Amino acid sequence: NSLTAHSTGGCVDNAAGDGAAQCKLNGTTWNYPITVWRGQTFQAEDAQGGAWQIGGNGAGCIPPANNCSWNPGGMGFIASQCTTPGANGCAIIVDSNNGMGKRVGYFNGPSKGLKFSGVNVACAGTANLTIYTTNGDVVGTTARHLSFIVNGGAPQDVTFTGANDWSHPAGQAVTLSGFNAGTNNTIYVTATGSAGAPDVDWIEVTNTGGACATTSVTGTCDESKWVESSNVNDGTEAAGNDGSLTTRFTTGRAMKGGDYYQADMTGTVYLSGIVLNNQQTSSSDYPASVDVYSSNDGSSWNKIVSGAAGGTTTTISFTKTLMRYVRVQINAANSNNNYWSIGELQTTCSTN
C-alpha cells in the first residue's frame, strides 16, 4: 500500500484500489474514508472557483433565484490560481501552522465559492463531511456560516462556532443530504446571505463504517402520534398539529426571531415539504420568513431550507430528507407585532 502525503498526515491506499483504507489528518484517524475532492489530499485550492450570477455574469445571486447560474471564475474568484493572498479575487491561508498551504480562504459574500465535481460517496442520501477551517471569532460565538448545495438541491446552512484562532485549522463534522451513490455528485460551497464565512482550509467526506448502513425508518407518518413542542407558550403546541384547522398553536405574545415550533415523529421518517396552514384561523399571524431544520437526536440541527411566509398558507418544499425531528423557526418577524400562530403543521411524509 502507498501513503498519500499531506502536510498534517496522510492516507494509506486500499489494496483493492477503491480508495483509502485509512487517513490521519490533524491528529484524527478516519477509517475507510470515501475518495474525495483532489485524489486524497483533501485541499480546497484545486476546486473550481466561481460565483453564482444572474445569467452567468453580472450581479451575484443566491440560488434558487431566477436565472441564477454558476459562472466558473465569476466575480474574479479563481480558486485554482490563488498563489498569493488576495490574488484573483480570493484570499488564501498562508501560515506556517498549516504547512504554508495555498488553500482557499474567506469567500467574501454569498455568491462566491467553490465547486467540487465527481464527489464519490458510497451511499445515496446523507454523507458525512469534515470541514477544516480557521476561525478567529471568540469561542462560543456563532457568527460564521457556510452554505452547501448538493446536486442542485436546496442550500444547506451550517454554523461554525468561534475558535479564537486564525492559524490552526480545526475540523467540524457536518452531515449533508441529497447525495447519489457513486461519483455523480457535485457540491457548491459558499458563504450565506446573512453571515460571514470561516476561512476554508480543506474539505473531507468520510464514511467511518466503510459500507452503506441499512436505512431504518423507525417513525410514523401518522401525525396523531407525533409529539409537538416549542420555545414559547407551552401547552398550546398540540393544537398546531391535531388535524383541525380551527385550532392553533400560538406564541401568545408578539413573535420574535428565533421562536420555533417542532414535531418529533417518534423515530426517523422522510420529509420533503411542509405547509403552515392558517386557512381557518389567525391568517394575520405569520412571520416574514422562516427556516426549516432537521435533526435525528433533538439536539444537533441542520438547516435545510429557508422560505418566505404567507398569511393563509406557507408552503416550503425541500430535498427529501431522513429525520426524526422537524423544526420551523422564525428567521425574520413580521413588523406588525402580531402573535405567531399555526393552525396546522402539514407535512409531505413518507417511510420509503
Side-chain angles (χ1 to χ4, degrees), residues 6-352:
H6 187 278
S7 59
T8 64
C11 299
V12 178
D13 287 341
N14 195 330
D18 58 352
Q22 185 183 87
C23 290
K24 185 174 183 178
L25 296 170
N26 266 15
T28 300
T29 299
W30 303 99
N31 293 317
Y32 306 107
I34 299 167
T35 303
V36 291
W37 315 136
R38 177 189 173 190
Q40 293 173 350
T41 58
F42 308 117
Q43 295 180 94
E45 74 268 25
D46 276 355
Q48 181 185 89
W52 293 99
Q53 295 179 276
I54 299 294
N57 52 43
C61 56
I62 304 174
N66 291 336
N67 300 315
C68 185
S69 58
W70 178 257
N71 181 19
M75 302 180 76
F77 199 74
I78 307 173
S80 62
Q81 297 180 17
C82 289
T83 56
T84 57
N88 303 302
C90 55
I92 62 173
I93 305 166
V94 179
D95 189 281
S96 59
N97 289 313
N98 68 9
M100 297 298 288
K102 298 171 182 177
R103 301 178 184 118
V104 176
Y106 183 50
F107 293 147
N108 192 29
S111 299
K112 292 183 179 181
L114 304 173
K115 176 184 178 180
F116 294 96
S117 300
V119 178
N120 184 20
V121 300
C123 313
T126 59
N128 299 320
L129 291 80
T130 302
I131 314 298
Y132 289 88
T133 66
T134 57
N135 188 345
D137 291 338
V138 175
V139 175
T141 63
T142 56
R144 296 183 182 268
H145 296 243
L146 289 175
S147 179
F148 299 86
I149 296 176
V150 179
N151 294 328
Q156 300 176 58
D157 185 354
V158 178
T159 302
F160 289 78
T161 57
N164 202 25
D165 188 349
W166 289 113
S167 298
H168 299 80
Q172 176 172 317
V174 169
T175 300
L176 301 179
S177 61
F179 288 96
N180 303 311
T183 60
N184 185 26
N185 292 286
T186 300
I187 302 178
Y188 297 90
V189 187
T190 68
T192 70
S194 58
D199 285 355
V200 175
D201 197 62
W202 72 87
I203 299 175
E204 177 185 356
V205 179
T206 57
N207 179 352
T208 57
C212 295
T214 300
T215 299
S216 177
V217 175
T218 59
T220 176
C221 289
D222 181 353
E223 296 185 9
S224 68
K225 297 179 181 178
W226 293 1
V227 180
E228 303 81 16
S229 59
S230 68
N231 70 311
V232 63
N233 202 12
D234 187 51
T236 69
E237 295 94 344
N241 194 35
D242 60 359
S244 172
L245 289 174
T246 62
T247 59
R248 64 173 181 163
F249 156 76
T250 183
T251 56
R253 57 148 170 80
M255 68 184 77
K256 298 179 181 179
D259 285 345
Y260 67 82
Y261 180 86
Q262 69 186 46
D264 174 5
M265 284 76 79
T266 70
T268 53
V269 297
Y270 289 101
L271 293 188
S272 57
I274 66 164
V275 176
L276 306 180
N277 193 331
N278 284 26
Q279 289 183 338
Q280 297 183 33
T281 182
S282 308
S283 60
S284 297
D285 292 359
Y286 64 94
S289 63
V290 296
D291 298 324
V292 180
Y293 293 83
S294 67
S295 176
N296 287 325
D297 59 10
S299 58
S300 299
W301 296 88
N302 290 321
K303 179 180 173 181
I304 53 179
V305 69
S306 298
T312 303
T313 58
T314 298
T315 302
I316 302 176
S317 300
F318 46 86
T319 301
K320 184 177 178 180
T321 304
L322 184 70
M323 66 182 82
R324 172 168 176 167
Y325 300 83
V326 63
R327 172 181 288 185
V328 186
Q329 181 169 307
I330 295 179
N331 178 296
N334 200 318
S335 59
N336 59 18
N337 291 320
N338 281 5
Y339 296 176
W340 180 33
S341 300
I342 300 173
E344 193 71 12
L345 169 67
Q346 301 168 328
T347 65
T348 304
C349 177
S350 65
T351 56
N352 53 53

